[in-house]
Amino acid sequence: FAFGTGPVRLIADPGNAGEDAIELLASCTITNAFSWDSRIYTASYALTMTGSIAPSNSFGSNAVFYVEDLICGSASAGCTLNWDYYNTGADRVDTATLAFGGAPGVINATWRGTGDPVTNNYVLMTYASGPDPVLPTWTINAPRKLRGRVWLDSPAKRVMMTMETAPAKGTVVLMR
C-alpha cells in the first residue's frame, strides 16, 4: 500500500483509550513522515520505515508507538526519529522485534519540558525478542548546549539515548 508523498498522521480515537491499531497484511515500506501513538501489528510481516517516525501526536504525552516487527531504515535510506523528551520521561517506540537497515539515521531531539533541557538516560526504543539490533551511525540534533549519544542496553533489550552537556566550544591561542 502507499500513503502518497505527504506526511501521514494517524490519530487514535480517544474513546478507545489508545487501543486503535493497524494490522498489516503484507510486508511494506513507509517512506512518509509518520506520526502515530498507538499500535501496528505485522503478524509475520515487517514494517520498514525510511521516512520519519514521530511517536507523539500531542506534546507532553510521553507517547508510545508500538510496531510489532520494525525495521528502521534500509541499506540505502536511513530513518529519522523525531523524539520529544520531558521532565518526567520521553516518547518511545516499542517493538516485538527491532532491526536497523544499516544506512545512517537521524534523531531530532526536542525538549518539551519546563525550564532548561535536562541531561539523563532515556529509552528510545524497546524490543521484546529476537537478536540485538546493530545500531547505525546516528546524526543527533540535540537541544542547545547538549549532545546525544545512542547506545544499546542489551540485557534490558532497549535502545537508549544519553543526553549530556556538550563540550564547551572555544579557541586556543598559542603565544610565544
Side-chain angles (χ1 to χ4, degrees), residues 1-175:
F1 70 94
F3 287 112
T5 58
V8 176
R9 181 176 179 195
L10 300 176
I11 302 172
D13 178 355
N16 287 343
E19 291 303 318
D20 286 333
I22 294 173
E23 183 176 359
L24 297 183
L25 300 177
S27 292
C28 69
T29 298
I30 295 178
T31 59
N32 306 73
F34 198 80
S35 178
W36 178 247
D37 62 358
S38 197
R39 298 175 172 271
I40 297 179
Y41 295 103
T42 58
S44 60
Y45 306 107
L47 174 61
T48 302
M49 302 287 290
T50 59
S52 65
I53 302 172
S56 178
N57 276 330
S58 58
F59 296 155
S61 65
N62 292 324
V64 177
F65 172 40
Y66 177 84
V67 179
E68 195 168 12
D69 299 295
L70 177 63
I71 302 169
C72 288
S74 67
S76 60
C79 184
T80 297
L81 177 61
N82 293 314
W83 177 74
D84 295 342
Y85 73 113
Y86 316 87
N87 298 84
T88 58
D91 293 348
R92 180 177 89 234
V93 177
D94 288 348
T95 68
T97 63
L98 176 64
F100 294 94
V106 175
I107 298 173
N108 295 317
T110 303
W111 171 249
R112 301 284 186 201
T114 57
D116 290 333
V118 298
T119 59
N120 206 343
N121 293 320
Y122 298 93
V123 178
L124 286 177
M125 301 176 174
T126 68
Y127 53 103
S129 62
D132 291 337
V134 176
L135 297 177
T137 301
W138 292 99
T139 297
I140 301 169
N141 299 313
R144 197 173 64 111
K145 298 184 181 179
L146 296 182
R147 68 178 177 187
R149 184 174 47 86
V150 177
W151 52 282
L152 196 62
D153 180 357
S154 294
K157 295 195 172 288
R158 301 184 301 191
V159 177
M160 302 293 295
M161 166 78 88
T162 298
M163 294 302 293
E164 56 196 11
T165 303
K169 295 180 180 177
T171 302
V172 174
V173 177
L174 298 175
M175 310 241 346

